Amino acid sequence: MKITDLSTQTYSVGEIQDFASKLGPLGVKKLLNLIYLAYIRLNESGKIKIQMNENEITEELYNELLGIWFENGDFSIRPIHEKPIKKEGKGPGKSPAIDFCFRDEWDSHAYFGSECKKLENSNKRRFDDYIVGGVCRYLSNTKNKKCSEGSLISYVVNGNMLKIVSEIKSRVDNVHCFLKMERTDEIGGFSEQYRSSHARITNKSPFLIYHLFFAFTHTSD
């Protein structure tokens, strides 16, 4: 399956200016659909336990995604687990990373990222991290000018989906918005999908974020 939308692809090897433009709208939609299929498989597997942290859930989601990718993927694009992004300035500690991404075969700076967060009712720390470690991580990544779109994936393992989405929307809508968080239909048949557009912190160029909320049936053991 070819991921890139060839009707909009104008770049040759080594000349990528923006990866989302290379993918085209249909290409981005295909990537989101593959993530959704991985979620469906993972949810049906029963692997997710209520006490699992977001890194453990992400590992399982990525494992399912790899299986689907080898069945359907475009090998000019590579799925990468824990994609590092360069730190701003110098200082101790390791560089932050996007949880996983789809990157160009040749250009490591050209990718579509997925940052993952576990959300629960009334857990302010997790809501705060969705903005600081999710939305703002994309907007403050000034080193990468070849990435203008990405996704935020929420794992809802405990709590009311409507309340959680409402709380996230109220926060997202206050972060340098060009387009407030609104429901979209990029993935057919999946209702909890949204998108928003924001100004990057330095040059104010737009960055589009897809918000996917995945509810899991799980066991407590």
Side-chain angles (χ1 to χ4, degrees), residues 87-208:
K87 292 174 63 176
E88 299 299 320
K90 299 180 180 179
K94 66 178 183 179
S95 296
I98 300 295
D99 286 309
F100 66 88
C101 76
F102 302 91
R103 54 153 280 191
D104 180 76
E105 178 183 10
W106 298 100
D107 190 339
S108 65
H109 299 292
Y111 63 86
F112 180 90
S114 292
E115 183 68 24
C116 304
K117 302 297 177 185
K118 183 180 179 181
L119 297 177
E120 301 170 292
N121 273 356
S122 305
N123 191 325
K124 182 179 181 299
R125 179 181 63 82
R126 294 195 184 280
F127 291 136
D128 290 345
D129 186 52
Y130 189 95
I131 300 301
V132 176
V135 174
C136 291
R137 177 166 293 177
Y138 282 126
L139 302 185
S140 63
N141 185 13
T142 59
K143 301 293 185 182
N144 191 355
K145 299 178 181 179
K146 298 183 178 183
C147 172
S148 67
E149 296 185 17
S151 64
L152 267 164
I153 298 172
S154 297
Y155 307 135
V156 180
V157 298
N158 182 32
N160 181 280
M161 178 67 80
L162 290 177
K163 290 182 179 179
I164 287 173
V165 171
S166 178
E167 178 65 26
I168 290 297
K169 175 175 169 52
S170 68
R171 292 166 178 259
V172 168
D173 287 352
N174 286 305
V175 184
H176 311 293
C177 272
F178 289 131
L179 174 68
K180 293 185 177 182
M181 187 173 131
E182 61 179 21
R183 195 180 296 273
T184 185
D185 60 355
E186 298 298 325
I187 304 172
F190 176 55
S191 59
E192 297 303 332
Q193 52 177 317
Y194 303 79
R195 64 183 175 186
S196 60
S197 179
H198 307 264
R200 295 186 200 239
I201 291 173
T202 52
N203 60 12
K204 307 304 180 185
S205 62
F207 191 94
L208 181 66

Side-chain angles (χ1 to χ4, degrees), residues 20 26 61 71 215:
L26 292 180
L61 180 66
E71 296 168 11

